[in-house]
Amino acid sequence: MTKPSIAAGIRRAHAATARLNDPEAGTVSLLAVFGHEVFHDAPTWSPGEDFQLLQEERSWIRYRSDGRIEGVAVVYPKAQPAHDGRPWTQDEVWHVLFPSSGNYVGDLWDKAHRLSWLACDRRDGRVISRTPTSRHPLQHALRYWEEFENRHGFYPRLLDSGAALLGGGRRWLSLKCSPYQDRYSGLEELIAAAGWLQRRFGARIRSYRWDPRTRQTTSPYRYAHLDANPYAGTLGDVLRRRTPRW
C-alpha cells in the first residue's frame, strides 16, 4: 500500500488545478529520488575525473585547456563500416575531439549517434578511437542497467546537471499523469507506482502540480520518463513488473 502521505500529496497536486477549464488541468508529475546506497553495487565507468556526465552510461564531455572539446559516447550501428571496416552490427564507444565551435558538440547531450558523421566529414572534429561495447569496460554498466530495466520496468537517471537540485549524484526518475490520457486511471497508476518505488527502493517522492501560467508542472524536470502514455515508457511497465525483492 502507498503511504497515505504520498497518496495525499499526489491527490492534492491533482486537485489544485483539476477544475480549471483547460485540457491539461489536473496534470501531476513526480520526482522519485533514490539514496546513494540503493545502487551502491552497480558497476560504473568514466573516461576520467575531469569528464562531465551528459547521459547516463552513454556520453561524457571534457573541456580541455587548449580550448578544444573532448567527448566519449556510445554510438549505435549505422549504414557504414564498423571500426574494423566490416558491417557495423553492435554499439561502439567513440572517443572524439572537436574545436570549441564544433557543430557536433551539442549532439553529445542527446543525439550521440550523429557522431558517426565524423567518420566521413572531419571538418568539425575527428575520431580518436572506436571500440565495440563488447570489448570496452563500459559494457558491464550497460549490461547491468539493461537487465535492471527489463526486470523492473524503469531506468533510474543520473545527471551531473541535476546534482545540485537532487543531492549530488543521486539517481532519480520523473513520473507523470495527464488528463489528455485517462485522468482517473492515470492518477491511480501514478499513486501505485510511487508507493512501490518508495517501498522497494526507498525512493523519496516529490509531487508537483500543473501551472496554468507556464503550462508545465512546477517540477524542476519538465519531461517524464514514465507516464500513462501507451506509446512511451509507462507506469504500467513498472506496475506489471513489481517484484517482492529486487
Side-chain angles (χ1 to χ4, degrees), residues 97-118:
L97 187 64
F98 309 103
S100 59
S101 58
N103 291 332
Y104 296 105
V105 173
D107 294 327
L108 284 169
W109 289 89
D110 61 352
K111 295 181 176 61
H113 63 91
R114 291 180 178 173
L115 298 181
S116 62
W117 297 343
L118 289 173

Side-chain angles (χ1 to χ4, degrees), residues 3-137:
K3 273 189 175 183
S5 58
I6 293 176
I10 295 172
R11 294 188 191 281
R12 280 197 302 270
H14 166 71
T17 63
R19 294 183 179 275
L20 296 179
N21 185 24
D22 190 287
E24 296 189 35
T27 295
V28 180
S29 64
L30 307 179
L31 285 182
V33 183
F34 304 95
H36 292 288
E37 72 285 354
V38 177
F39 305 113
H40 68 278
D41 60 342
T44 61
W45 181 84
S46 169
E49 292 183 0
D50 50 352
F51 278 82
Q52 178 188 356
L53 177 68
L54 299 182
Q55 293 188 56
E56 301 82 1
E57 290 78 43
R58 305 297 294 186
S59 68
W60 295 260
I61 193 170
R62 179 168 81 99
Y63 297 91
R64 295 168 42 135
S65 58
D66 62 6
R68 292 184 294 177
I69 297 172
E70 203 170 345
V72 175
V74 177
V75 181
Y76 59 72
K78 293 295 193 75
Q80 61 191 60
H83 70 288
D84 57 3
R86 298 179 180 181
W88 191 353
T89 59
Q90 65 169 293
D91 291 357
E92 296 179 352
V93 179
W94 285 44
H95 186 182
V96 296
L97 187 64
F98 309 103
S100 59
S101 58
N103 291 332
Y104 296 105
V105 173
D107 294 327
L108 284 169
W109 289 89
D110 61 352
K111 295 181 176 61
H113 63 91
R114 291 180 178 173
L115 298 181
S116 62
W117 297 343
L118 289 173
C120 305
D121 182 2
R122 300 183 180 180
R123 291 173 296 177
D124 288 313
R126 67 183 180 89
V127 180
I128 298 174
S129 67
R130 296 170 57 180
T131 307
T133 54
S134 62
R135 292 178 9 211
H136 195 282

